[in-house]
Every structure is written in structure tokens, then in C-alpha cells.
Amino acid sequence: MTVRVRFAPSPTGHLHVGGARTAIFNWLFAKRYHGTFVIRVEDTDQSRSTRQSEAMVLEDLRWLGMPWEEGPDVGGPHAPYRQSERTEIYNRFAAELMTRDVAYRCYCAEEELDEKRKAAEAAGRPPHYDLKCWHNRRNDDAPHAVRFHVPDDGDVTIDDLIRGEVSWKKESLGDFIVVRSDGLPTYNFSVVVDDHEMEITHVIRAEEHLTNTHRQVLIYRAMGWTVPEFAHVSLILGPDRSKLSKRHGATSVSQYAEDGFLPDAMVNYLTLLGWSSPDGAEIFTRQESATKFSLDRVNSAPAVFDHQKLEWVNGQYIHAMTAAQLRPLVAPFFDVPWLEEGIDVVKTSVHRLNQFADALRFVREYEPAEVDRALAEPLAAELRTNGTPVDEATYKAMVERLKTATGLKGKALFMPLRMALTGSDHGPELVRTIPLLRRASAVDPSVLSPLQRVEKCIR
RNA sequence: GGCGCAUUCGUCUAGGGGUCCAGGACGCCGCCCUCUCACGGCGGUAACACGGGUUCAAAUCCCGUAUGCGCUACCA
């Protein structure tokens, strides 16, 4: 049997990091078992779903770098992959459910149901549907929804791949709506129809759907369909341990892209949030994790999103990349003719792509520092006669001559030197900084050369 | 309220009856490297929610309690 998994976002905004992690686990599982990864858009809630949002979610998924074999944009053998385009299919199966007498038309008004529910709750009874339309089944075309009837043998036990056995008693459920009065299916119905029709073998989704599984299994049974395997992934929490939301800061994948995070780092971190590699590795490519991924190593407890660790992971990726690899990624945030050289000099002090501009500010902006003439003048003379160092050897030669000329050494020499050339008391090593300033000033007229800087100090 | 899920350092986690007075990572602290900042290296800090069982032996199995979260919709 070929593994087929799906990620089924509802297009109501950008892709959320929680959704991203669910997508990653699905993708990893598909790769691990050489299966198929399907994207299905769950847009049956017309009031909240937009086509624009669907495009954003797909774009976020593309940015993360998890290609899918079937989906609304690429099609596939089970098209369409947008639930709003599959209503005839749902209606067909809803009709079949009614033919089998496990579903029925419900003509109750929403207000009426609300009142009954409140009354039941007030009286301490379970707020389940009172079965009025089940007991008086009819089939006219007055406005109605379609309701599924929970059978007497409605107890359900599943063997969740992450949580183990989970059971529910039939009593915990009332008859529930499968087709709304607007003719569109509810989630619990469309998801079953689609997962069956699309031959999904493993349903890997967020924990918030765990209790919905009871209803869904009942529908599978009523239709006589094979029940897929389930794996419910725990939620991602904010620092206060409530479900991660906007008030905790950035929650959408696109926001992280804008904040200078790399897709590889994002996928790496999110994979680590709930899954651990059997060899204990924490930095790994998606190919590496895909060969080792298994659902039994997915943690069933919710995980707090740790922004600091994400930054660290992102830094690990940036530090491991060459300046040439980094340049095209940094350019959208900050671009100068000497970008690649600049990146090479400061990349170890940066954790995010958008921090390069700041880290290289000293190259573009220079405020003359208070520097003792006893150093500034010999330095200016040195730069005039011997030129500016171009590499480690010429830098060391310059330092030796300066030591002789000034009688200074160690910190007493280097700090004023740094101040004179960068205007700051901290930054990358001088042996790298000076050649960078030289090259940058050569290709970029807005950058002052080392000599120009020193001259400003003397004036 | 009912049902369901969860609970190991501040955070992510390892662990599946003895090898655990609990290991790794992030963070934090210290030291080293060093002109500074960062990187890197080394070291330190810090946890089995609580109470009962089962067992020669429990972080690991069972039962309660507490706490958190989810579902209980004509949202997904």
C-alpha cells in the first residue's frame, strides 16, 4: 500500500506556524515512506475563506520548500482539490447516507436549537439534539440541513499513531449536521468524504481535531469505508502556555520570512518542536530528517514556541553558509556593491538575514571619533605611504610599523585604531575590517576609505 | 458541566521497570580564545506535578487528585 497523506488548510489568512508544522510532519512522513503528499483546500466556510488567502497559504508552503504532488494548483487524479468545488460529491454521499437511513433532513431552525441547547445545559442535561426530526422523518424541500444519526453501536476506539488508544462512548455525541442548510458540507463530513475519495492512508493533523474523529469514524462505518490511520499532533503554545496566537508576536510563516529567517532553518526548528531525531541531532536537512522520521517519536504533549532557539537555529544555518550563498538571500533586505565581502566579514555576528544591514552599518556610516593625534597622524602617514592593507599579511606588516612608529601595543594600539577606522569600539576583527573598508570604498563612492576616515579624525 | 488529551530542567526534549542521586540542546552564569563584539571551545545552574498502589526495584506500569489545553457549532 502506498502512503498518501494530505495537508488540508482552510484559507482564512496566512499559513500559521502550527499549520506549517503539521504540513512538515505530513511531508516528512510522505518522504520517509515514498508516499504522496496532497494539498487540499478546506474552504467550505464561505464567510471566512478567500481565494487570496489560499494563494498566500500556497505561497507560504512553497517558501518552506515542501513540494506536493497533488493540489489545487497542480491538479491530480482526484481533482478538484478545493472543497468548494466538490459539493456535488458531498451531496451524492449525503443522499446515500439518507438512503441507508443513517442521516435525515432536519428542519429545525437554528434559533430553536440554540434555545433547546441552553435549556438542556441549564437543566444539567447533555446539550444534544433532541431527535425531533429523526422521529418525524420527512423528505420535502422546505429549508433543511442534513443530520447524521448516531447509531446504538456508536462507541469508537482508534489507535492513534501518536497517542495510542483513544475511545469514546456513543453517549458523548448527539446527532450532528453533515450538510448545512446552505447546501455545503460541514468539516466532519467533507473531511471523511475527501480523505476516502482521495485515498488518504494516514491522517496527520492537529490535536484540536482529535475528538472530531469520533464523528468521522461513525461516518466511515456508515458508508462501509476503510478507516485511515490517525495521528494527532499536539498544539503549539505561546510562552504563557495558551495556544499560540497573534498576541504572542509573529505567528505566520510569511512574517518569519520577512524577519530574515531561512526556510531551511524554519523547517528544522519546527521539526524539532515535537519530534526528536533518534541520533539526537538538532541541526539537520529535511532530507536527513525525512530518512529518520517516524510518528512514534512525535511527542504527544504540547510544545511552547521558543523564539530564542529558533534564532539560534537560524544562526547556525547562516554561519554554515558561504557569503556567495548568502548574498542573493540578503540582497532583498540590503544591497550594496560590496555585499558579498561584507557578509563574509560579519556573518558570525548575525542570526537573521535582516541583521546584515545593521552589522555593516559601520561601513556606510562614519562618525569621526576622538583619537589621539599620537596615533592618528602616524596612521595617516602609514596609509599614505604603504597603502591600505589588502589581506592578513599586509595588515600584520602595517601593525608592526605602527608599533614602531607610536610605541603603542596591545589594546592601547588596537582600540584607537578601531575607533579611528570604524567610529565604534566594537565590531569584526580589524584584520578583516580594514581590507573590507578598502574594497568597499573602491567600488562604492559613498563609502569613505580608511585614509579618509583617519583624516577626518585629525581635522 | 460532560467527554477527550496532556504533565521530565525557564524552554525544546532523551528515557518504555534496574545501566538515572535522570542525558542532550536553547537560554542564563563563569572561564578560555581575543584589540572589541560575535563565533567557537570548556565548565556550571536547573526537572521526573501531587497522592496512592503494583513490584525485590517506578521518571518508566495502574488508579485517583490538581493544573493546562481541546472538543462539546448549520467553524475548521
Side-chain angles (χ1 to χ4, degrees):
Chain A
M1 181 185 68
T2 327
V3 162
R4 287 178 57 84
V5 295
R6 49 45 165 209
F7 176 61
S10 38
T12 56
H14 267 293
L15 181 63
H16 184 275
V17 291
R21 187 185 55 160
T22 304
I24 290 166
F25 284 176
N26 272 285
W27 186 85
L28 252 16
F29 188 79
K31 294 303 117 187
R32 169 67 180 78
Y33 297 104
H34 308 290
T36 303
F37 181 46
V38 177
I39 298 289
R40 183 176 71 229
V41 175
E42 309 217 324
D43 56 351
T44 56
D45 183 348
Q46 290 182 309
S47 61
R48 297 200 305 156
S49 305
T50 66
R51 213 38 183 266
Q52 189 189 17
S53 165
E54 176 192 309
M56 295 192 297
V57 170
L58 295 183
E59 186 48 44
D60 293 338
L61 248 12
R62 256 178 235 117
W63 179 79
L64 285 170
M66 295 179 295
W68 48 95
E69 284 78 36
E70 298 172 27
D73 56 335
V74 294
H78 301 282
Y81 291 87
R82 211 146 20 216
Q83 291 190 328
S84 58
E85 295 168 4
R86 299 172 63 82
T87 47
E88 335 67 281
I89 303 175
Y90 308 126
N91 287 144
R92 199 168 79 231
F93 288 116
E96 186 167 342
L97 243 21
M98 286 190 280
T99 305
R100 297 181 182 208
D101 203 29
V102 288
Y104 54 98
R105 292 184 172 185
C106 176
Y107 300 86
C108 297
E110 283 191 65
E111 306 77 59
E112 181 190 342
L113 294 170
D114 272 350
E115 277 171 35
K116 283 182 181 171
R117 188 161 34 238
K118 279 181 196 143
E121 273 176 18
R125 282 178 285 120
H128 295 160
Y129 180 58
D130 65 3
L131 303 181
K132 179 177 162 191
C133 293
W134 168 252
H135 293 308
N136 307 289
R137 266 161 279 177
R138 58 185 165 115
N139 226 334
D140 57 82
D141 286 330
H144 64 274
V146 178
R147 211 176 263 280
F148 181 89
H149 183 64
V150 176
D152 290 338
D153 57 349
D155 290 2
V156 165
T157 297
I158 61 164
D159 189 13
D160 190 280
L161 265 17
I162 292 173
R163 273 143 227 284
E165 278 200 0
V166 182
S167 329
W168 300 269
K169 293 278 179 218
K170 128 192 208 299
E171 294 75 33
S172 55
L173 231 47
D175 285 6
F176 55 91
I177 305 279
V178 289
V179 179
R180 297 186 294 229
S181 47
D182 64 3
L184 294 176
T186 58
Y187 167 74
N188 284 303
F189 185 51
S190 58
V191 77
V192 170
V193 169
D194 289 343
D195 285 339
H196 172 262
E197 286 286 288
M198 296 179 180
E199 301 176 58
I200 299 302
T201 57
H202 300 260
V203 173
I204 304 169
R205 84 235 294 192
E207 186 190 348
E208 61 202 86
H209 296 301
L210 180 59
T211 46
N212 284 325
T213 308
H214 185 184
R215 292 175 174 76
Q216 294 165 19
V217 170
L218 255 22
I219 297 174
Y220 279 104
R221 297 215 289 225
M223 293 299 299
W225 291 340
T226 306
V227 180
E229 298 286 341
F230 292 105
H232 288 91
V233 181
S234 64
L235 263 25
I236 296 180
L237 273 24
D240 61 356
R241 303 202 76 86
S242 68
K243 187 173 171 177
L244 188 68
S245 69
K246 297 259 193 308
R247 67 194 171 82
H248 296 115
T251 53
S252 68
V253 168
S254 62
Q255 185 64 55
Y256 284 92
E258 286 168 27
D259 288 346
F261 288 91
L262 296 158
D264 287 346
M266 205 68 207
V267 169
N268 191 149
Y269 175 69
L270 254 13
T271 302
L272 232 30
L273 211 55
W275 180 78
S276 57
S277 176
D279 58 13
E282 299 218 314
I283 300 295
F284 39 66
T285 65
R286 62 195 75 207
Q287 283 71 226
E288 288 167 341
S289 49
T291 63
K292 294 168 186 147
F293 189 78
S294 63
L295 289 168
D296 55 21
R297 289 191 69 84
V298 173
N299 202 136
S300 54
V304 173
F305 192 84
D306 184 352
H307 205 274
Q308 281 186 309
K309 186 147 184 178
L310 203 213
E311 287 242 5
W312 174 78
V313 171
N314 205 53
Q316 293 299 302
Y317 275 82
I318 288 177
H319 302 164
M321 289 169 80
T322 65
Q325 291 171 320
L326 250 9
R327 198 194 56 75
L329 302 173
V330 175
F333 294 96
F334 171 60
D335 204 3
V336 286
W338 41 273
L339 184 58
E340 195 166 316
E341 294 97 316
I343 289 171
D344 198 37
V345 172
V346 300
K347 70 174 187 180
T348 57
S349 67
V350 159
H351 288 92
R352 284 182 272 132
L353 297 173
N354 61 352
Q355 290 173 331
F356 278 101
D358 241 14
L360 290 166
R361 177 148 288 138
F362 71 90
V363 179
R364 297 171 296 147
E365 294 173 17
Y366 177 73
E367 279 300 319
E370 291 287 325
V371 179
D372 198 328
R373 281 177 175 254
L375 173 86
E377 282 172 357
L379 175 57
E382 160 68 25
L383 294 174
R384 282 192 199 100
T385 53
N386 295 308
T388 304
V390 297
D391 57 16
E392 186 174 346
T394 46
Y395 167 81
K396 283 190 167 161
M398 178 194 78
V399 167
E400 285 313 309
R401 287 189 296 270
L402 280 176
K403 279 181 181 170
T404 311
T406 63
L408 298 169
K409 60 178 181 178
K411 208 163 181 165
L413 170 65
F414 291 106
M415 276 317 282
L417 184 56
R418 172 178 292 285
M419 288 301 297
L421 296 175
T422 70
S424 168
D425 62 359
H426 67 268
E429 304 167 292
L430 285 171
V431 64
R432 308 265 278 133
T433 298
I434 294 173
L436 170 64
L437 290 175
R438 186 187 143 280
R439 298 206 50 185
S441 60
V443 295
D444 182 347
S446 70
V447 173
L448 292 175
S449 72
L451 180 56
Q452 287 171 312
R453 292 166 190 238
V454 177
E455 284 170 342
K456 283 200 166 208
C457 292
I458 297 170
R459 239 178 278 128

